Amino acid sequence: MTEDTGDMWVTVTPEASRRLLLAAVDSFAERGYHGTSTRHITAGAGMSAGALYVHYPTKADLLFQIALLVHDSVLRTLHEAVAAGTGPPQRVRALMYAFSAWHARHHRAARVIQNELGALGPEHAAQIADLRRRVREMILAEVGAGAASGDFDVADLPGAARALSSLAIDVCRWYRPEGPRTPDEIGAFYAHTAMRILGAG
Amino acid sequence: MTEDTGDMWVTVTPEASRRLLLAAVDSFAERGYHGTSTRHITAGAGMSAGALYVHYPTKADLLFQIALLVHDSVLRTLHEAVAAGTGPPQRVRALMYAFSAWHARHHRAARVIQNELGALGPEHAAQIADLRRRVREMILAEVGAGAASGDFDVADLPGAARALSSLAIDVCRWYRPEGPRTPDEIGAFYAHTAMRILGAG
DNA sequence: GTCTATAGCTGGATAGAC
DNA sequence: GTCTATCCAGCTATAGAC
């Protein structure tokens, strides 16, 4: 239950492209997309101003590549989490644990995709919106299975699914690495909290 | 329970200052602080570029004034909500209802203060951080009173208070006015959800 | 593939007429 | 108090040397 999808960025090569991507995540998370200059990014990667454009055509493309990698990591994490569960309560517990812990572990990357996606152009935004819909539908399906089986007691199914998702996503807003709880502790607490929200004793 | 603090902006005079402030809230919410130009703001208020500086010394000051007014509105809304409650469950229900509904009703203003406060200078940021601490402490105190009285069953008091606050705040991220639920319906559902999270049957 | 230098544009803020 | 015109700093992206 404490596993993750490994390093989200290992597939990015060459190493200079990855350094630029990581510097962009840090700066976008801290200053926002529009508050970040290409010089912030190249300086963060230890390069000079012009070096960015050898690896990425525009600053906007950098944001898009980040969004693709991040949503892919989330989807794989959630699929791995539910795969092990044998019944709805177990599966939803694992889902909530994994989703919450992911948002703590990757809070910088998560902040970027929660706050800065408005800077994407229309067709890039549509592509990312599709990935995000798949996350929502997965959570709704798992909660719905538990409602159908009688394991959960929910009067408002979409509302309850939204509450679980909201709780996990918002971890990236308030989480601080130096805070009192580890990502795993947050995952465990929110898995328990999810069962209460769903009326599963 | 459906009351609010009235119009958050009525105290802003003259009317031209208020128009600029409202245009700034809309643009900051949609494009972010750094993505918003002073020309966006003045155009949104139906004025020309230079007119802003008659009413506000800088663009940053506009953000600060918004943050002050918004946090004042939240604090007044929460105090009014708990004032009517006679016991911890009633008080926390009213608090959660009011806090959630406020974030739906004022989702644009709320997005600005959740996402754009990083653009404030150090002393302005410190002043706003103080107001935000008062909100957190109020929620913690109300939940703590219910734990102490035995009305709630919580193993992790700060964690549970954080979950309630997180759930209500995140409403401003996903809420859409054209969506299926009204602010009051969201408030009612989240007041009920809070009781489940707190183990108050 | 990285550097320096710079083109071309947009932004925040100011000046001065009305 | 609002307008138009403008200053100049900072931005994205490109050019050309190495």
Side-chain angles (χ1 to χ4, degrees):
Chain A
M1 232 170 170
T2 70
E3 288 313 308
D4 204 284
T5 62
D7 188 335
M8 213 186 303
W9 319 107
V10 280
T11 60
V12 182
T13 55
E15 193 248 351
S17 296
R18 183 165 58 250
R19 277 204 340 266
L20 286 163
L21 209 79
L22 287 166
V25 169
D26 280 352
S27 191
F28 290 165
E30 196 180 329
R31 291 178 261 251
Y33 176 79
H34 292 293
T36 294
S37 71
T38 57
R39 284 164 177 84
H40 283 138
I41 297 169
T42 49
M47 299 179 198
S48 269
L52 196 159
Y53 296 92
V54 177
H55 301 274
Y56 300 94
T58 61
K59 185 176 107 167
D61 185 68
L62 206 37
L63 177 62
F64 179 56
Q65 298 303 328
I66 291 167
L68 281 178
L69 286 164
V70 166
H71 286 92
D72 182 63
S73 167
V74 166
L75 277 165
R76 282 185 295 123
T77 300
L78 296 188
H79 277 113
E80 284 170 23
V82 297
T86 56
Q90 266 195 29
R91 287 170 66 92
V92 171
R93 250 197 299 263
L95 186 83
M96 192 64 178
Y97 186 116
F99 202 38
S100 308
W102 187 96
H103 277 86
R105 247 189 283 279
H106 305 292
H107 59 281
R108 286 181 209 82
R111 275 173 211 158
V112 174
I113 62 149
Q114 293 308 328
N115 300 329
E116 312 300 331
L117 289 189
L120 290 175
E123 62 266 32
H124 282 174
Q127 230 178 116
I128 300 301
D130 191 62
L131 295 172
R132 294 176 76 73
R133 189 162 30 74
R134 281 159 62 182
V135 172
R136 282 199 305 277
E137 279 168 4
M138 188 175 170
I139 295 169
L140 186 59
E142 295 295 335
V143 174
S149 70
D151 286 306
F152 301 150
D153 167 33
V154 284
D156 176 357
L157 183 60
R162 168 66 89 180
L164 299 196
S165 154
S166 174
L167 211 44
I169 288 173
D170 196 53
V171 168
C172 78
R173 182 184 57 82
W174 57 262
Y175 177 77
R176 301 286 178 277
E178 67 274 17
R181 289 182 192 78
T182 65
D184 281 319
E185 287 166 352
I186 292 165
F189 180 63
Y190 274 11
H192 163 76
T193 302
M195 291 303 104
R196 283 196 166 185
I197 290 174
L198 298 173
Chain B
M1 232 169 169
T2 69
E3 287 312 308
D4 203 283
T5 62
D7 189 333
M8 214 185 303
W9 318 106
V10 280
T11 60
V12 182
T13 52
E15 193 248 351
S17 296
R18 182 165 59 249
R19 278 205 339 266
L20 286 164
L21 209 80
L22 287 167
V25 169
D26 280 351
S27 191
F28 290 165
E30 196 182 329
R31 290 178 263 251
Y33 176 79
H34 292 293
T36 294
S37 72
T38 56
R39 287 164 178 85
H40 283 137
I41 299 169
T42 49
M47 300 180 198
S48 271
L52 196 161
Y53 296 92
V54 177
H55 300 274
Y56 299 95
T58 62
K59 184 176 106 166
D61 185 68
L62 207 34
L63 176 61
F64 179 56
Q65 298 303 329
I66 290 167
L68 281 178
L69 286 165
V70 166
H71 286 91
D72 182 63
S73 167
V74 166
L75 278 165
R76 280 185 295 123
T77 299
L78 296 187
H79 277 112
E80 284 170 24
V82 298
T86 57
Q90 265 197 26
R91 287 171 65 93
V92 172
R93 251 197 296 264
L95 187 81
M96 192 65 178
Y97 186 116
F99 202 37
S100 307
W102 187 96
H103 278 86
R105 247 187 283 277
H106 305 292
H107 60 280
R108 288 183 209 82
R111 275 174 210 156
V112 174
I113 63 149
Q114 293 308 328
N115 301 328
E116 312 300 331
L117 288 189
L120 289 175
E123 61 267 31
H124 282 174
Q127 230 178 120
I128 300 301
D130 191 62
L131 295 173
R132 295 177 75 73
R133 190 164 30 74
R134 281 160 62 181
V135 172
R136 282 199 306 278
E137 280 169 4
M138 189 174 169
I139 295 170
L140 186 59
E142 295 295 334
V143 175
S149 69
D151 286 305
F152 302 149
D153 167 32
V154 283
D156 177 355
L157 182 60
R162 168 66 89 179
L164 299 196
S165 153
S166 174
L167 211 44
I169 288 173
D170 196 52
V171 168
C172 77
R173 182 184 58 81
W174 58 262
Y175 177 78
R176 300 287 177 275
E178 66 275 18
R181 288 182 193 76
T182 65
D184 280 320
E185 286 166 352
I186 292 166
F189 180 63
Y190 274 11
H192 164 77
T193 301
M195 290 304 103
R196 284 197 167 187
I197 291 174
L198 298 172

